[in-house]
Amino acid sequence: MKKKIYVLEDDADIGELIAFLLTEQGYEVSVFSTIASFRQYANHNPLPALLIIDVMLPDGNGLDVCKEWKTAATTQSIPILVMSAYEDYRHDNRAQDADGFISKPFDIKSFLVDVKAQLS
Amino acid sequence: MKELDAVDDSIFTELFLASPVASYICNRTGHIVAFNEAAALLWGCRPEIGEAKWSGAVAIYDPGGRAIPVKESPMAMVLEGDENAADVELIIERADGTRRHVLVFPKPIRSSEGHLIGGHNTLVDITDYKQYEERQEILSEIVQSSNDAIVSKNLNGIILSWNKGAQRIFGYAESEIVGKSVETLIPSYLKNEEQMILHEISEGRKVDQYQTIRVTKSGKEIPVSLTISPMRNKQGQIVGASKIARDISDQIQREQTIQFHEQQLETLHAIGRVISEKLDTSSIIQTVINSTTHLIAADVGLCFYRVTDEEGRSTLSVSAATHETALHLDEHRIDLEDGVIHAIFSGEDAVRVDDVCETPYILSLFDLPMNPEIPPIRHCLAIPIRSADKLLIGAMFFGYSRLDVFNNADEDMMRSIASLVAVTLDNARLFEEVNALNLKKNEFIALASHELKTPLTTTKGYLQILERSEIDQVGRRFLTKALKQLERINALISELLDISKIEAGKLSFHMETFDLGELILDIVETFHFSSRTHTIFVNNAQGNYLVEADRQRMEQVMINLITNAIKYSPDANNVHITLESSLLEVSVQVTDEGMGLGHDQQEKVFTRFYQVEGTSKMAGLGLGLYLSKEIIDRHGGYIGVNSRLGKGSTFYFSIPRRQNQ
């Protein structure tokens, strides 16, 4: 069965790029452009194998979602990659339990290396 | 020996000739028939007997200096029968042109029948006496006309003489004071001073320019400078004292005026200094209000002023001072509405409020938690503070409890100080504005860099996907170029963001312990993919290079140094990286075989926006080495370069293994 990856990214083109790259690698990818739509979906569907979160989202901060998932018992074991063009978020307290930080713009090879490292 | 019992003519003749008093005899017609030696001496010539008439002098003048014709001379008058011509004072001119004062005593000579047959004249030279008299008159006139009081007294302190100057200064007429004690002039609290002075005088010592206080007839005390000298009689005994008293009220007032102006200048200087040295508005204003309140001897000084904080909010602040000290109003803030300030000044430069009780809003300003010893404020001097564009931006209020306090000099001074304060407030406002703008600029750069990186992410991703696909060689070459340019844009955006963080003091570091050698090997590996022109050798890669540092920032430094090494050695193929370590630090050298740097360039490469001349095609913003230096400095390390033109460069840095924080 394909591993599920949820992507929280508001920029449609980046979302599409990531979806393309990961689908090509054989993953099942769902992209969400708002926190609200992500929560709505996640509440009624199976948990993913990996969560990739952008930080600056139209209805909130992705780091809050990260902290929330890393605190909740049901989700804390799910690996999370935080992704931002703003380097300072790498050291934000809410990101301290994240499993990796991806700087935008990223190199697709290293991006895939990072993803695979979390799913192996 | 025969006794002298009768006097004959020969004795008279002898007496006449030998007498020290000048005498001569004329006949009826006035011709001189005889004169003695004393007369010849007096005239300075020997008139020819039987030729010269009436007088042997060259000319005769009355005591006023008017010429008298010789035929109207007293001798001529006597020979005319005028008996009244006797005993007059004359001036005679001698043969050598000098003049002598003489008293003349012409007398007629009558025959035994009583006929006038001639006359004799005696001349008494009174010139010396006259000169002495004149000198006395001059001295007396000097004493009388002196502006100083010149007084003499005996050793009991009784006043003997009193000039007009003394009358003018002390108010007593000569007749009122002569014969009285000099203590009349001495204030009661200085009475023993006279004992001291008399003691000095009786010892023969002079009292020179002694400054003290004396009392006038009207009871007013005046400052005087006394010079008192002993007076001696002909035998040299001290019999009294002469005293010269000078009224120095004017002098003292001048000194006080000078002192006042000096103080004013000093205050202005101090204020100027504080304004140029300090940027903190409230401490400047506090200094200004402290010194001005003291300077114009006000009981209370207040300065209201408008300040703008970092968020652009404008608030009214107040500093206060009493005559002695600053007044802290932390808990007692005064509200002075703008409307009130505007109403007070309404176009005026300064306002004098004679009775603050009649203007309750000013009275309330002085309702302060003050020292209870300060009496209630009665008067107020209010000075507006206007900005360069004439806007009312503050005001100073000086409160007085005494009456009769306002003067133009103070007001002028306060007006100049108010304009200095206005400059300060204008500067402070500009400073805040610049700060606020800078803050906005940094916020904007942060936002812009984030927004610019979003399209970069997609562009780079899609180009890399294309790169993997089957495309011809030309297409691949173009793709590589496009990706390289994307990396450049990305680096530029990151550098701009870093610079704005350095300026804002917000470049933060996240220290962790890692092996710098391993990091360098990882970085070099990525260059093997992207740089096909150069081979990068790493020497001594294996070893203990554990450091406590910011991993991303160290990566940034290494990428910058390697990128530079490749960029500035377009005709070479090798870049060498050498690691070294000691107990306390780790060092890295990056050596290229490129164009090298001149001595001047080596000094400048680490400065902001510096670009090596003639390399503008290659360069970015000229921020890379500046940022690298900032990063290494903040790690407590050092960075430098060794280079020779045409011989390549070695950039090196060292960082301590542990951060002392």
Side-chain angles (χ1 to χ4, degrees), chain B residues 298-314:
Chain B
D299 293 300
V300 184
L302 298 171
C303 183
F304 292 90
Y305 56 102
R306 214 155 248 302
V307 286
T308 310
D309 64 16
E310 282 181 7
E311 274 85 49
R313 283 189 301 259
S314 167

Side-chain angles (χ1 to χ4, degrees), chain A residues 13-14 24 88 91 107-108, chain B residues 458 462 464 468 501 510:
Chain A
D13 288 335
I14 296 178
E24 201 184 41
D88 288 11
H91 303 287
D107 187 274
I108 59 172
Chain B
T458 41
Y462 288 125
Q464 285 187 332
R468 296 185 314 191
K501 281 183 184 168
H510 303 277

Side-chain angles (χ1 to χ4, degrees), chain A residues 71-89:
Chain A
T71 317
T74 49
T75 53
Q76 64 183 196
S77 61
I78 296 169
I80 298 177
L81 293 174
V82 172
M83 182 171 61
S84 177
Y86 205 55
E87 269 296 307
D88 288 11
Y89 287 128

Side-chain angles (χ1 to χ4, degrees), chain B residues 303-345:
Chain B
C303 183
F304 292 90
Y305 56 102
R306 214 155 248 302
V307 286
T308 310
D309 64 16
E310 282 181 7
E311 274 85 49
R313 283 189 301 259
S314 167
T315 50
L316 194 67
S317 288
V318 59
S319 291
T322 64
H323 184 55
E324 300 297 333
T325 57
L327 202 60
H328 295 290
L329 297 178
D330 297 340
E331 291 161 26
H332 190 96
R333 291 288 295 245
I334 304 166
D335 285 329
L336 180 64
E337 286 175 19
D338 278 350
V340 173
I341 295 194
H342 282 94
I344 292 172
F345 296 109

Side-chain angles (χ1 to χ4, degrees), chain B residues 208-225:
Chain B
D208 207 12
Q209 299 191 15
Y210 177 71
Q211 294 201 359
T212 182
I213 303 289
R214 289 293 178 261
V215 186
T216 69
K217 186 180 176 184
S218 65
K220 188 182 164 195
E221 292 192 354
I222 51 168
V224 292
S225 166

Side-chain angles (χ1 to χ4, degrees), chain B residues 539-552:
Chain B
N539 305 315
N540 306 338
Q542 302 308 315
N544 173 10
Y545 300 116
L546 280 178
V547 288
E548 189 185 355
D550 183 311
R551 183 191 282 271
Q552 268 70 42

